[in-house]
Amino acid sequence: MSANPREARVVQAVHGRSRKPADPAYQAGLAEELRQSYGRAGLIELYGRFATGDGVVDSLMRKAIWQAITRRCGEGLQVASGAGFKHPETFEIGDGVFIGAQAYIQGRYDGTCVIGDNVWIGPMAYFDARDLVIEDSVGWGPGAKVLGSTHTALPIDVPIIRTDLEIRPVRICAEADIGTNATILPGVTIGKGAIVGAGAVVVSDVEPFSVAAGVPAKFIRWRSENDPMTNMSREGRS
C-alpha cells in the first residue's frame, strides 16, 4: 500500500550531523597561491569568473577564493552558485559552513562578521554584516535577512539617505533556527536554541529556547518536546 501523500514524514537531516571529510591539502595550497598572486582586489575580480557555475572547478574555486580572501576560514566550506560578498576581508568563518545559492553577505571595511561552525545558510539570504555574529549550528531559512544599520533620519530637513548611519550589532546565538523570509532588525539578539517563525520581523531580543513569530515578532511559547516546530529544528536542516 502506498503512503498517503498528505502524511508528514520525518527524515534524517544531513548538515552538521557528521564531520565532513577534510579539505584536500592542495586546496589550502591553492588558496595561499591565489592570495599571493592576486591580492584582495584581484581575488574579487577572479571570483566573478566562477561565481555562478555549478561544476566541480567552479565550486572548488569559490571555496579557495573565500579561504584566500577572508580573515579566517575553516574547513568544509560549501559556497553555492551566485553567492556574493562585500568586504570579505572582515569575515571569520568556522568549519562546515554552507552558504546557499544567491545568498549575499555585505560586510563593511571596518566591520566584523563572524559565522560559527556548522552554520547552514539558505538560498537568497541577505546579511547586513557590519557588526554580526552567528554562533555555531544556526539554521538560516531561505530568504531570511539581517538588517544591521539604519539612518538616523535627522535632521529632518536632510534627505534620509544622507543622514548618518547607525550600526547596531546583531547576534544569533548557537542552535537558533531562523524561518524562511524572516527579518532581524538592528541591535537584536536571538537567544540560544530559539526559533523565529517564517516571515517574522524581529524588532527586539528573543529569549533562549523560545518561539517567536509575527510582525512584529512576539513570544509565542517555550519550546517543548512535543512541539512540531521544536522537532523540526532539532532535526536540523538537510
Side-chain angles (χ1 to χ4, degrees), residues 66-67 69-73 88-93 109-114:
W66 278 67
Q67 288 177 319
I69 203 170
T70 54
R71 182 179 296 164
R72 181 179 63 84
C73 185
E89 74 278 10
T90 65
F91 298 178
E92 298 179 23
I93 300 175
Y109 69 92
D110 59 354
T112 300
C113 171
V114 177

Side-chain angles (χ1 to χ4, degrees), residues 201-227:
V201 176
V202 186
V203 300
S204 58
D205 294 350
V206 175
E207 292 292 321
F209 300 101
S210 68
V211 178
V215 181
K218 296 181 179 178
F219 172 84
I220 301 297
R221 58 181 176 269
W222 298 107
R223 288 175 58 187
S224 68
E225 290 298 323
N226 296 319
D227 184 339

Side-chain angles (χ1 to χ4, degrees), residues 35-197:
R35 184 183 297 114
Q36 296 295 330
S37 299
Y38 285 86
R40 185 163 67 88
L43 284 172
I44 292 173
E45 181 180 354
L46 183 66
Y47 185 77
R49 302 184 193 178
F50 303 98
T52 58
D54 286 323
V56 174
V57 173
D58 298 89
S59 178
L60 170 64
M61 290 301 294
R62 284 196 294 270
K63 288 193 292 185
I65 292 172
W66 278 67
Q67 288 177 319
I69 203 170
T70 54
R71 182 179 296 164
R72 181 179 63 84
C73 185
E75 293 200 344
L77 174 67
Q78 298 178 74
V79 183
S81 61
F85 51 66
K86 187 173 184 180
H87 290 294
E89 74 278 10
T90 65
F91 298 178
E92 298 179 23
I93 300 175
D95 293 328
V97 171
F98 172 85
I99 300 173
Q102 300 178 52
Y104 192 80
I105 305 176
Q106 180 174 332
R108 179 181 157 93
Y109 69 92
D110 59 354
T112 300
C113 171
V114 177
I115 300 176
D117 295 340
N118 296 316
V119 170
W120 188 96
I121 296 172
M124 294 182 283
Y126 171 78
F127 299 89
D128 177 346
R130 305 165 211 236
D131 193 350
L132 172 67
V133 175
I134 300 176
E135 296 183 354
D136 297 346
S137 300
V138 167
W140 195 270
K145 302 172 180 65
V146 164
L147 301 181
S149 59
T150 54
H151 289 278
T152 63
L154 294 173
I156 60 174
D157 59 344
V158 173
I160 294 171
I161 199 169
R162 295 184 186 173
T163 62
D164 292 343
L165 203 61
E166 182 181 26
I167 299 169
R168 302 177 63 194
V170 173
R171 176 178 291 270
I172 314 298
C173 295
E175 303 172 19
D177 193 82
I178 311 300
T180 300
N181 285 328
T183 300
I184 314 298
L185 294 189
V188 165
T189 294
I190 306 296
K192 180 179 179 179
I195 296 175
V196 172

